[in-house]
Amino acid sequence: MTNTPTDLPLPITDTVGAWVPHGRFLRPGRAQGPLADLHFAAKDVFDVAGQPTGAGNPAWLASHPVPTASSPLVDALLDAGATLAGKVLTDELAYSIHGDNIHYGTPLNSAAPDRVTGGSSSGSAAVVAARLVDFALGTDTGGSTRVPASYCGLWGLRSTHGLLSQQGLVPLHPLFDTPTWLAHEARTFERVAAVLLPPSNFAPTRVIEASDAWAEADPAFQPLLARARDTLAQLLGAPVQALQAAAPDGLDAWRQTYVTASAFDGWQTHGAWIDSHTPEFATPIAARWRFASTVKAEDAAAARERAAGIRERVRGWLGEDGVAVLPSAASLAPLREADPLEVDGVRVRTLRITCIAGLAGLPQVSLPLRSASGVPLGISLLGPAGSDRALISLAVRLWQAMPH
């Protein structure tokens, strides 16, 4: 940035328990710019110069220096005029899609107060759903933006892997991490896209139905998936191509491939720090790190090889002109007091869906819809690599054409 504004006290009242204690500051953007009327928050894995980065764990906060440079995405948004309204919580080291944190709490899902926000971009989803900010930076590795977008009735994106800078970002699994954002209005979502994403000339001529992925989602999703498929085909004047098996060897095999490759990647990234600092983790997250520590290099190499084959397969059936309709998650947001075993079952089914884009490195946009009972849920569009900006525009057109 050309200017370095002084941080001010945060004037926003945190009604949803989303801001981290060290994240309550206001950093104004450039006086004039395309986003000058907007406020945003940043998930506490993004570096902001002069402010600590906590990554959802006090031991991380205490053992890492305050960054002297910001994430390029933060700088780009500030330079576009948006005002940064502090940093919001994340599941610990972003290793969850549930939305709770034993150190900082579970933020409120204003769109469904008896249900969780989803994670790991839980604080980002909470502040956007509550309209406390216009949009919020998040990340998506295994579903950490698509899932909270679905649970909270928001616009969300998993960006093409490698398209947006991961500099100044605490990694989880670098092979799969993607920075992104959530918004509650389509227009805001598109305005941010115009600042952060390169143009795309993606012009789909085929609509793809991945039947095995649809089957992983609860009944509440099915009529909306069908409606989205049919409306999109009508908008594009395009045929529907039904894939009975997007994953011929089964989506659970794909999920296991993702879990093995990503866990090893995560342990290579954070294992030494975890061993030396023995941080306290929530029970489910601690179990994931214990598993990650046991993955053998040869098993990880085999998983990466399988992942390369999956990437080639998915990119093959999408081609350059295909767009797939998918559920953004497997279920409605779990109740805040849901049984942990039930939650874990939902997580497994959701990862069978979200791993498709993750393994293929492709963009996926989640549209905010509601079930017949009025609970938020997301339907997604999956597109070719680099189609992110055009895919967002297409998703907005689809959303505007559907009853909601």
Side-chain angles (χ1 to χ4, degrees):
M1 287 184 61
T2 55
N3 58 331
T4 307
T6 303
D7 292 335
L8 304 170
L10 185 65
I12 299 171
T13 300
D14 185 1
T15 57
V16 293
W19 270 271
V20 288
H22 51 279
R24 296 190 60 81
F25 61 90
L26 191 72
R27 184 165 295 188
R30 188 163 57 91
Q32 293 182 338
L35 306 180
D37 58 327
L38 300 181
H39 284 68
F40 73 104
K43 181 177 182 177
D44 193 24
V45 294
F46 286 88
D47 284 347
V48 176
Q51 299 291 342
T53 303
N57 189 280
W60 185 276
L61 181 69
S63 61
H64 288 79
V66 174
T68 57
S70 297
S71 155
L73 273 66
V74 170
D75 277 344
L77 293 168
L78 290 170
D79 199 45
T83 292
L84 174 58
K87 301 180 79 172
V88 290
L89 66 80
T90 170
D91 298 14
E92 296 174 67
L93 293 188
Y95 211 172
S96 177
I97 56 171
H98 189 60
D100 57 350
N101 186 303
I102 61 167
H103 304 288
Y104 301 116
T106 303
L108 179 69
N109 178 354
S110 298
D114 57 339
R115 298 173 183 269
V116 297
T117 59
S120 63
S121 303
S122 52
S124 300
V127 294
V128 175
R131 310 297 198 262
L132 299 179
V133 295
D134 300 291
F135 68 97
L137 287 174
T139 61
D140 191 304
T141 302
S144 288
T145 286
R146 288 165 289 170
V147 172
S150 184
Y151 288 1
C152 297
L154 303 173
W155 290 92
L157 166 74
R158 176 193 167 82
S159 55
T160 297
H161 187 260
L163 185 66
L164 296 179
S165 175
Q166 295 184 43
Q167 183 181 347
L169 180 68
V170 178
L172 171 58
H173 304 140
L175 287 174
F176 302 101
D177 292 343
T178 64
T180 184
W181 69 98
L182 294 138
H184 54 74
E185 290 183 357
R187 176 61 183 142
T188 300
F189 195 56
E190 288 189 292
R191 289 173 65 190
V192 176
V195 168
L196 295 182
L197 294 173
S200 165
N201 59 3
F202 174 55
T205 60
R206 293 179 296 120
V207 177
I208 298 168
E209 172 189 331
S211 300
D212 47 353
W214 286 28
E216 295 292 340
D218 285 350
F221 285 76
Q222 303 307 321
L224 290 172
L225 285 164
R227 193 177 305 154
R229 174 201 61 202
D230 295 344
T231 305
L232 185 59
Q234 185 176 14
L235 278 175
L236 297 175
V240 174
Q241 178 184 353
L243 291 178
Q244 295 305 314
D249 47 344
L251 284 171
D252 199 62
W254 285 20
R255 178 190 67 83
Q256 291 171 354
T257 295
Y258 167 78
V259 167
T260 301
S262 63
F264 184 83
D265 190 31
W267 192 254
Q268 297 306 300
T269 303
H270 291 306
W273 177 79
I274 291 172
D275 282 342
S276 62
H277 290 82
T278 60
E280 180 186 2
F281 288 126
T283 300
I285 294 175
R288 284 172 209 136
W289 284 119
R290 282 195 300 272
F291 168 75
S293 71
T294 68
V295 177
K296 298 177 181 178
E298 55 267 33
D299 293 334
R304 288 195 297 272
E305 185 175 348
R306 291 193 300 273
I310 293 167
R311 175 188 175 102
E312 183 177 354
R313 177 174 179 81
V314 175
R315 291 186 175 212
W317 53 250
L318 264 181
E320 294 298 320
D321 65 336
V323 57
V325 178
L326 296 171
S328 301
S331 76
L332 305 179
L335 296 171
R336 290 172 74 95
E337 13 354 284
D339 181 274
L341 289 177
E342 177 189 344
V343 169
D344 195 55
V346 167
R347 179 177 182 274
V348 168
R349 287 194 295 123
T350 291
L351 283 174
R352 290 175 187 153
I353 300 166
T354 59
C355 74
I356 298 171
L359 290 166
L362 296 178
Q364 183 176 337
V365 178
S366 184
L367 295 69
L369 300 171
R370 287 187 179 268
S371 71
S373 60
V375 179
L377 63 80
I379 301 298
S380 288
L381 300 184
L382 176 75
S387 67
D388 306 45
R389 192 161 160 190
L391 194 66
I392 288 173
S393 296
L394 179 61
V396 172
R397 284 179 59 204
L398 172 60
W399 182 82
Q400 289 170 339
M402 291 180 67
H404 45 77

